[in-house]
Amino acid sequence: MARHRRPARCPPEPAVRPSSSFWRLVLLLALVWVAATAWDYAGYREAQTTAKREAAQKFLGMDGFFLFSSLDSDRDMYINLEEFRPNAKKLIGTWDSPLDLSEEKFSMMARFQPLLPETMSKSRNGFLGVSPLTLSGLRNWTVPDEVLRLFSARQFLIFLPPKEDLKLGEPWWIIPNDLKEHLSSDRFYPPRSSPKEDLIYKLLSMFHPRLFVKTRFGPRGTVACLMATSDFYYTVAFRIHAEFQLNEPPLLPFWFSPGQFTGHIILSKDSSHVRDFKLFVPNHRPLNVEMEWLYQYEENGNSSSELDMDIGYLSQMELESWGPSVLTEIHKKGKITYRRPCDQSSQLVLEDIVWQQEISWEKAAWQLGVAMYPFLKVTYLPLIKAFEQARTENKLVHSIVLWGSLDDQSCFGPGQGLRDIVLGNSFIVTLLKNSFISSWSQVHELHEIQNNQDNESHKKLAELLLEKYNSPVKMLLCLPNGTVVCASPLPPLPTHFPQPPSVVYKQFLQEGLFRAQPFLHRKAGSFFERY
C-alpha cells in the first residue's frame, strides 16, 4: 500500500500574519454553517417524523395510533426495547383473565391527558410554598396505568336495573351513598373493594392504581338510571364519584378528585352482551378537578399535618369499549396461545336497535345530579339566563360565586358544606323555589364575561358580582339589574354555633327580600306571613 510522503520542506510563512479578528470571523462563519446544517437536518428529521405520524394514523386508525403513542415515550415513531419493556407486563396482563368461552368479552381502552399545571391557582406564583416532591406524583402521571384491559360482558350486570318496571330517569344506587363521616386524608393505599365496588375499581384503576372508590367526602357512590329500552337492550346512564391518591411514602398523600365520572352503557337485558360503553370526566368547564395535599410544618417543636388545596383543568380522562363484546376462540400457533372472535358472534353486533322509549342525555344527567345533590331540586340557571328570568318574573337572583363547581366534586371544601348542609335543607329548597331565581358561577366564567367586549350589559353584570367576591364562596342576592342588595360569606357550619346553618341562611334570604321590597313591584309581606 502506498504511503503518503512528507513534503520536502515546509511552505514559507506568509509575510503578514492574519489578525485575531480575521480568525474570529472565520470561526463565526464556520459556526453559522454548522448551525444551518444542523437546523436543516432537524427540519428534515421533523418532516420525516410528521410523515410517519400521518401514515401511522391512516394505517392504525385513531385508537390503534393512540395505543402506539402511549408506548412511544420519546415520540420518535419507533418503539425500542427500553420503551416496550416497562409496558410489556401491563399489556400482557390486560389479556390475563379467566378463560370462560361461554361469555362474551371485549377490550376497554383508556385515554388520558395530564392535568394542565398552569390552570392551578398556585402556578401563578410559581408554586411558591409547594415542594416539588409534593407535586411529583401529579407531574409524573402522564399516561394511563393500563391502556387496554379485557372485560367480560357478564361483569357489567351491576348496571342492570333492579326491577323491570323502573321508569326512565328514575335513579337507583349501584354503590350506595353511605356517608356517615368524612374519611381521613392521611392514607396511601385503598382498601380491598367490596363485590359491588369490584367492577368500578377495575375500570377506574386503568388510569391510576391508587384508586379510592369510597371518597373521603360525600356524596359517595355510583348512581344510574335508564335512558332507553328496547325488546332486548337497555341504555343506562351512570355517575360515579371516586378519587385517586398520587403519592407514595415517604412523600405525604396528594389527592386528585375529578368532578365526576359519567357515561352510558348499552347492554342486553340478560347482561350477556355489551354493545357500547363510554365513561368520561366532563371537560366543558374551565376547572374540573380538585386537589388536596398534606404538608408538614413545625409548630412549638411538633410536626403537624395540614391540608392545602387547589383546583385545575383536565382535558381528557375517558374509557371506551373497543367494539362490542364477542365470543372468543382459543388458538395455538407453535408455543403461542391467542384468542380471536368467533365467526358466529360477529353477526350479532351489527343489528340495529329499535328503541321503544327513551329520554335525552341532558334529562338523565340531571336526574343523576339530583340523586347525588338534593339541592339541585332547585333549578340553577346560567348567569345571564338567570337575570333575564328574574326580569321576567320580577324576582331576586340568588347567586353563588365560587372557584370550583357547586354540582360536582371539584368544589372546594367550604362549598361542600354549603350545598350538603344548607342548600339541601328542605325548607331552604322551598324558599328558593318560591321567591328566587337561582344561579351559581365559577370565578373564571365571570372573568370571561367581564372581558367580553361585545356585550356591555353582560360585562357590567359580571363586574358587579366580582366586586363583592372576597371569599372562596360568596352568596349574593341581586336585583334583576344586577345590583347586589345583600351579600354573605359562607355561614358557620359547625353544630356548636348558637344557630344551625340553615337558620342562618334562612335569615340571610329573608333579609334580602326585605331590602328588595322598595325596588320590586310585588308584595313580599305575604311571603313573610307564610314563613
Side-chain angles (χ1 to χ4, degrees):
M1 182 173 64
R3 296 181 178 179
H4 294 285
R5 292 185 178 182
R6 287 186 176 183
R9 55 187 177 90
C10 296
E13 292 184 0
V16 180
R17 292 178 179 272
S19 67
S20 59
S21 60
F22 172 80
W23 287 112
R24 283 197 296 267
L25 178 60
V26 172
L27 179 61
L28 177 62
L29 291 174
L31 289 174
V32 169
W33 180 81
V34 170
T37 303
W39 181 272
D40 184 62
Y41 179 71
Y44 171 74
R45 288 289 302 273
E46 177 63 26
Q48 272 197 328
T49 302
T50 301
K52 289 181 180 178
R53 186 179 296 112
E54 292 174 353
Q57 288 176 347
K58 184 176 180 181
F59 179 76
L60 297 174
M62 291 307 298
D63 285 339
F65 182 73
F66 179 85
L67 177 59
F68 177 87
S69 300
S70 68
L71 303 177
D72 183 23
S73 57
D74 59 6
R75 300 294 185 265
D76 65 349
M77 297 303 296
Y78 175 77
I79 299 174
N80 56 38
L81 186 60
E82 287 71 22
E83 291 171 321
F84 180 74
R85 186 181 289 114
N87 295 283
K89 186 174 180 181
K90 291 181 181 178
L91 289 172
I92 295 172
T94 60
W95 302 93
D96 187 16
S97 59
L99 296 178
D100 187 342
L101 300 183
S102 66
E103 294 184 2
E104 294 188 1
K105 295 178 175 61
F106 64 99
S107 295
M108 193 75 73
M109 170 173 276
R111 299 184 181 90
F112 175 78
Q113 295 293 328
L115 182 129
L116 300 175
E118 62 271 19
T119 62
M120 298 173 64
S121 62
K122 302 285 194 247
S123 68
R124 297 177 183 177
N125 58 10
F127 291 102
L128 294 178
V130 182
S131 166
L133 290 176
T134 298
L135 299 174
S136 61
L138 176 66
R139 287 173 170 165
N140 293 334
W141 188 21
T142 59
V143 296
D145 189 60
E146 290 187 51
V147 177
L148 283 178
R149 180 177 282 183
L150 191 69
F151 287 90
S152 166
R154 291 286 184 190
Q155 291 177 273
F156 290 79
L157 61 84
I158 67 169
F159 288 100
L160 290 179
K163 55 183 181 179
E164 292 185 0
D165 58 346
L166 205 66
K167 296 179 181 178
L168 296 187
E170 183 181 347
W172 76 87
W173 290 92
I174 296 175
I175 300 175
N177 177 19
D178 58 353
L179 176 63
K180 296 179 181 177
E181 60 182 5
H182 295 327
L183 301 178
S184 170
S185 296
D186 194 8
R187 296 178 294 158
F188 287 94
Y189 304 106
R192 291 181 63 88
S193 56
S194 67
K196 283 189 175 181
E197 299 169 349
D198 191 46
L199 176 64
I200 304 301
Y201 181 85
K202 288 180 178 178
L203 287 167
L204 298 184
S205 62
M206 290 180 67
F207 296 116
H208 195 282
R210 288 186 295 281
L211 167 76
F212 285 73
V213 176
K214 185 168 290 186
T215 56
R216 293 165 299 145
F217 306 101
R220 301 182 179 124
T222 299
V223 65
C225 71
L226 280 175
M227 277 184 63
T229 61
S230 75
D231 289 335
F232 302 105
Y233 290 98
Y234 291 124
T235 298
V236 177
F238 58 84
R239 175 169 175 158
I240 303 168
H241 286 182
E243 59 187 347
F244 303 90
Q245 197 289 110
L246 306 187
N247 284 347
E248 290 188 279
L251 301 179
L252 292 173
F254 186 105
W255 293 90
F256 187 94
S257 306
Q260 61 172 293
F261 297 91
T262 190
H264 75 271
I265 181 173
I266 301 176
L267 76 167
S268 62
K269 290 185 175 181
D270 63 357
S271 76
S272 64
H273 177 67
V274 172
R275 179 74 173 259
D276 185 50
F277 182 91
K278 181 69 177 290
L279 173 152
F280 61 96
V281 173
N283 60 3
H284 62 286
R285 289 174 180 156
L287 298 168
N288 60 357
V289 177
E290 185 186 18
M291 289 155 284
E292 296 185 347
W293 56 92
L294 276 72
Y295 64 92
Q296 288 187 336
Y297 66 94
E298 297 294 328
E299 186 177 286
N300 300 325
N302 297 322
S303 179
S304 303
S305 293
E306 295 289 341
L307 274 174
D308 198 359
M309 60 181 62
D310 206 342
I311 193 167
Y313 179 72
L314 182 76
S315 64
Q316 186 181 48
M317 191 176 199
E318 62 184 38
L319 299 176
E320 187 171 12
S321 55
W322 204 352
S325 64
V326 293
L327 292 171
T328 56
E329 294 176 337
I330 305 301
H331 294 265
K332 289 187 177 181
K333 186 175 183 180
K335 295 183 179 180
I336 300 175
T337 301
Y338 65 97
R339 305 174 190 160
R340 75 178 186 189
C342 295
D343 293 336
Q344 63 268 28
S345 68
S346 62
Q347 304 297 323
L348 171 67
V349 300
L350 299 179
E351 63 182 7
D352 292 329
I353 301 176
V354 179
W355 299 109
Q356 297 168 339
Q357 51 180 346
E358 55 186 323
I359 60 174
S360 67
W361 166 255
E362 290 74 17
K363 185 174 181 179
W366 179 79
Q367 294 281 20
L368 298 176
V370 172
M372 285 286 189
Y373 303 114
F375 85 91
L376 288 177
K377 293 175 183 176
V378 174
T379 301
Y380 284 78
L381 298 174
L383 183 71
I384 304 304
K385 190 173 181 180
F387 278 88
E388 291 173 351
Q389 189 71 20
R391 285 192 290 271
T392 301
E393 299 187 22
N394 203 28
K395 289 184 177 181
L396 280 179
V397 174
H398 165 243
S399 177
I400 301 174
V401 182
L402 70 168
W403 201 252
S405 297
L406 195 62
D407 63 353
D408 68 29
Q409 297 297 83
S410 68
C411 183
F412 271 112
Q416 292 175 347
L418 172 66
R419 81 182 165 211
D420 298 340
I421 299 175
V422 178
L423 296 179
N425 177 274
S426 58
F427 179 86
I428 300 298
V429 167
T430 302
L431 184 54
L432 291 174
K433 278 185 174 181
N434 290 341
S435 300
F436 294 88
I437 302 298
S438 292
S439 175
W440 66 265
S441 306
Q442 286 186 348
V443 177
H444 278 58
E445 295 172 326
L446 294 182
H447 282 298
E448 289 178 3
I449 296 173
Q450 186 183 31
N451 295 329
N452 182 7
Q453 304 297 325
D454 298 332
N455 194 311
E456 287 297 325
S457 63
H458 295 175
K459 181 178 178 181
K460 182 63 177 178
L461 191 61
E463 289 174 351
L464 289 171
L465 298 185
L466 287 171
E467 283 177 4
K468 300 292 184 179
Y469 182 75
N470 55 9
S471 59
V473 181
K474 193 77 173 181
M475 286 74 68
L476 307 170
L477 304 180
C478 310
L479 296 174
N481 64 2
T483 302
V484 178
V485 298
C486 201
S488 174
L490 193 69
L493 298 179
T495 57
H496 62 265
F497 277 83
Q499 291 181 316
S502 57
V503 173
V504 177
Y505 209 74
K506 169 190 171 184
Q507 294 172 349
F508 164 66
L509 295 176
Q510 289 179 331
E511 181 183 357
L513 288 171
F514 179 78
R515 292 184 182 183
Q517 284 187 67
F519 307 100
L520 297 178
H521 302 293
R522 61 192 294 266
K523 293 183 179 180
S526 60
F527 174 84
F528 291 112
E529 292 172 3
R530 298 204 314 270
Y531 294 92

